[in-house]
Amino acid sequence: MFDPTLYPTLQDAVHLYIIQPSQHTDPKEVQGYLSLLSEQERERHQRYKFDKHKHQFVLTRALIRRTLSSYMDLSPKDWRFDQNEYGRPEIAESLGLPPLRFNVSHTDGYIVCALTKELDIGVDVEGTLRVKEPMSIADRFFSPHEIQCLHDLPEEQRRHRFFQYWTLGEAYIKAKGMGLALPLAQFTFHLSTPPITISFGPEIDDNPSDWQFEQLAISDAHLLAIALKRGGRKNLPIIYHTTFP
């Protein structure tokens, strides 16, 4: 599983793994993934009421562990994780490994995991059909500029634009490692012309030029966004993987 040639590539690229749970249902395969989980993860797995959610949880945790073990010479079973004060998982410092950053997201139908060498990264994937009234959510939580842009669009275009804003916002918040402690209304995405850019309200001390944003429709009903704090570097390419590592 470990490939010593992979880790150096993270210096100049983001690796993104995109998995469909429906393609990983063989009982022996799933049992093998379950065996990789820690005791605490297995306890969490048992607390899920529905089989679909249990399956998604096992694949998500196994994807993280197997992905990391592709870049570092450590067994998938041996990874340990800490959480920051807002609950974002990080590789435990006690492992004493070189810098490696990851972020994971899942929705009905997809699990994604993004990996970099040492840069702050966030990823979000959403099913674009799951929200009945997207404008009511936007009016409550988005920035004034984003709300106005949504209302200026024809009604048939609003749902897609809503999820563009939503996934980008979630990815940025996750890259910052602050969760919902960072309200969506305090920053604004600008999508009229590429590349995607961000601006900040006075509450946020951040530099828009430090950030790279990418967005991808991975199906007709799923949208994915990546936020990467690459500082003064040029934009990094995204390398996509669609098989379990």
Side-chain angles (χ1 to χ4, degrees):
M1 181 182 299
F2 171 59
D3 183 346
T5 67
L6 281 178
Y7 181 73
T9 67
L10 293 175
Q11 181 68 36
D12 300 305
V14 173
H15 286 237
L16 180 69
Y17 290 79
I18 304 172
I19 301 300
Q20 294 177 265
S22 61
Q23 297 180 355
H24 301 275
T25 57
D26 179 82
K28 289 185 178 180
E29 179 186 7
V30 175
Q31 187 60 39
Y33 294 149
L34 183 60
S35 70
L36 303 178
L37 273 56
S38 68
E39 181 178 350
Q40 183 182 35
E41 288 171 329
R42 288 195 292 270
E43 290 174 356
R44 287 179 60 191
H45 168 258
Q46 288 302 315
R47 289 199 293 268
Y48 283 99
K49 182 177 180 180
F50 299 106
D51 288 343
K52 180 176 75 171
H53 297 148
K54 287 184 175 183
H55 184 232
Q56 184 183 69
F57 179 81
V58 169
L59 293 186
T60 300
R61 302 310 301 176
L63 177 62
I64 294 170
R65 290 174 172 276
R66 286 176 61 97
T67 298
L68 293 174
S69 290
S70 297
Y71 296 80
M72 289 287 172
D73 191 11
L74 187 69
S75 167
K77 293 182 178 181
D78 293 335
W79 289 95
R80 298 194 303 275
F81 303 95
D82 296 327
Q83 291 186 344
N84 73 1
E85 60 183 304
Y86 299 99
R88 181 177 70 175
E90 305 279 1
I91 296 168
E93 291 186 6
S94 60
L95 290 174
L97 295 172
L100 195 62
R101 306 298 300 277
F102 74 94
N103 197 240
V104 67
S105 179
H106 55 74
T107 191
D108 193 17
Y110 282 92
I111 304 168
V112 297
C113 181
L115 199 66
T116 71
K117 184 176 180 181
E118 55 190 355
L119 304 175
D120 290 335
I121 190 165
V123 63
D124 187 54
V125 62
E126 300 288 346
T128 58
L129 302 179
R130 68 181 184 86
V131 175
K132 291 183 178 180
E133 299 290 341
M135 291 303 296
S136 64
I137 297 174
D139 288 339
R140 289 180 60 197
F141 296 109
F142 286 5
S143 73
H145 177 81
E146 291 172 343
I147 294 169
Q148 186 61 56
C149 287
L150 280 166
H151 282 280
D152 288 345
L153 287 173
E155 186 173 355
E156 64 271 16
Q157 297 179 22
R158 291 176 183 172
R159 174 175 290 274
H160 180 72
R161 179 58 59 89
F162 167 85
F163 278 102
Q164 286 184 293
Y165 286 141
W166 184 267
T167 54
L168 287 164
E170 287 288 316
Y172 172 71
I173 286 172
K174 293 173 74 176
K176 293 284 286 184
M178 297 178 65
L180 293 178
L182 188 61
L184 295 172
Q186 294 182 2
F187 52 86
T188 297
F189 286 98
H190 304 276
L191 309 179
S192 56
T193 57
I196 299 168
T197 59
I198 192 171
S199 59
F200 301 109
E203 308 90 346
I204 297 181
D205 182 17
D206 205 342
N207 184 353
S209 64
D210 283 346
W211 288 91
Q212 173 184 344
F213 298 98
E214 304 290 343
Q215 200 152 52
L216 175 70
I218 56 176
S219 83
D220 291 340
H222 293 86
L223 193 62
L224 177 150
I226 296 172
L228 178 71
K229 190 172 185 180
R230 44 105 173 97
R233 303 172 63 177
K234 295 181 179 179
N235 281 359
L236 272 62
I238 312 297
I239 299 175
Y240 297 95
H241 306 263
T242 56
T243 58
F244 225 104

